[in-house]
């Protein structure tokens, strides 16, 4: 049995992953910054390293879908340190496209105006990029998942998967359902995409 710790279980994508893992050999521990006992979600601040260490007991895989705006780097540092301390190796971390400066030219200026730049950690994009850098410099078996612009349609799409970090993003906006399915497959096949930063979009049709 695989024992999975979810960070950010209140998030929209994580809520879709959980039922997708039903009827699989997976034991799930749900945590989020804000506890929801009626949903089985325990309170856990990922920035609190001691609390992370305690939460990692008997865990095989950490799936982090943290909406800690302004604290992504701090959360990543805490998660990495705690995982090293306990000896848990497998991490799936959801970031955003743009953390490798790989946005298409026609969208770059707009996103910079809204989200900031990767070299300024005081912006959303900079904080996201710093978190990803911390994870990539770790000795963990990580996978960074970088979804394209998210949409809520309950549709399973064909995916455009790009592993090269500096490859300009191609493909269309992606549904949260499709992102959740991709993450679920990594959880079920943890040997996949180790050491990769994977951008996913809806595949372009001819």
């Amino acid at each position: 049995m695989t024992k999975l710790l979810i960070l950010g279980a209140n998030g929209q994508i994580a809520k879709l992953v959980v039922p997708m893992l039903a009827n699989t050999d997976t034991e799930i521990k749900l945590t989020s910054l804000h506890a929801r006992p009626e949903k089985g979600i325990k309170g856990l601040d990922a920035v609190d390293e001691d609390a992370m260490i305690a939460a990692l007991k008997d865990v095989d895989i950490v799936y982090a879908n943290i909406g800690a705006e302004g604290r992504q780097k701090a959360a990543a540092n805490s998660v990495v340190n705690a995982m090293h301390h306990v000896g848990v190796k497998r991490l799936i971390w959801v970031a955003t496209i743009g953390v490798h400066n790989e946005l298409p030219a026609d969208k770059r200026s707009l996103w910079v105006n809204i989200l900031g730049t990767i070299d300024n950690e005081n912006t959303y994009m900079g904080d996201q990029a710093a978190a990803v850098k911390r994870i990539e410099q770790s000795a963990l078996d990580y996978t960074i998942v970088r979804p394209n612009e998210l949409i809520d349609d309950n549709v399973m799409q064909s995916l455009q998967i790009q592993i090269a970090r500096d490859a300009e993003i191609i493909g269309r906006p992606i549904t949260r359902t499709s992102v959740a399915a991709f993450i679920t497959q990594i959880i079920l096949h943890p040997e996949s995409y180790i050491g990769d930063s994977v951008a996913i979009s809806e595949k372009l049709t001819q």
Side-chain angles (χ1 to χ4, degrees):
M1 175 174 288
T2 298
K3 296 183 179 181
L4 173 71
L5 172 64
I6 297 182
L7 307 177
N10 281 322
Q12 294 181 68
I13 294 173
K15 288 178 182 178
L16 295 170
V17 169
V18 173
M20 289 180 181
L21 288 170
N23 303 316
T24 69
D25 196 26
T26 309
E27 179 182 305
I28 306 173
K29 184 188 298 186
L30 301 172
T31 69
S32 188
L33 180 61
H34 303 292
R36 295 190 65 185
E38 74 281 7
K39 299 290 187 181
I41 300 174
K42 296 181 178 180
L44 175 63
D45 186 352
V47 173
D48 185 337
E49 195 170 314
D50 290 335
M52 277 297 311
I53 289 171
L56 285 167
K57 183 180 179 181
D58 299 323
V59 166
D60 299 308
I61 301 174
V62 177
Y63 156 43
N65 211 145
I66 305 171
E69 187 169 345
R71 302 197 307 156
Q72 286 282 322
K73 181 183 178 181
N77 191 60
S78 172
V79 169
V80 168
N81 289 345
M83 290 180 69
H84 282 318
H85 181 86
V86 176
V88 177
K89 295 283 288 181
R90 192 68 176 99
L91 172 63
I92 302 164
W93 182 274
V94 179
T96 185
I97 58 166
V99 293
H100 301 301
N101 202 32
E102 77 282 20
L103 290 169
D106 61 340
K107 292 185 177 180
R108 195 167 299 149
S109 295
L110 176 62
W111 283 53
V112 165
N113 288 336
I114 298 172
L115 302 178
T117 59
I118 62 172
D119 58 354
N120 183 352
E121 294 182 12
N122 294 317
T123 67
Y124 177 86
M125 187 65 77
D127 189 35
Q128 287 264 338
V132 167
K133 185 175 181 180
R134 175 67 181 96
I135 292 164
E136 292 181 327
Q137 291 175 339
S138 75
L140 299 177
D141 293 334
Y142 68 82
T143 304
I144 309 295
V145 179
R146 295 175 284 131
N148 202 335
E149 182 180 349
L150 292 166
I151 53 179
D152 286 325
D153 297 347
N154 186 22
V155 175
M156 198 73 72
Q157 301 161 313
S158 297
L159 297 187
Q160 182 77 48
I161 299 172
Q162 296 176 259
I163 295 176
R165 286 160 169 78
D166 59 352
E168 184 175 291
I169 298 299
I170 57 177
R172 297 190 177 91
I174 188 168
T175 64
R176 287 179 172 84
T177 299
S178 298
V179 177
F182 182 77
I183 292 167
T184 298
Q185 287 305 305
I186 298 176
I187 293 167
L188 294 175
H189 304 280
E191 73 283 355
S192 60
Y193 297 108
I194 290 176
D196 291 329
S197 181
V198 186
I200 54 175
S201 309
E202 182 185 16
K203 193 170 188 178
L204 292 174
T205 57
Q206 297 296 327

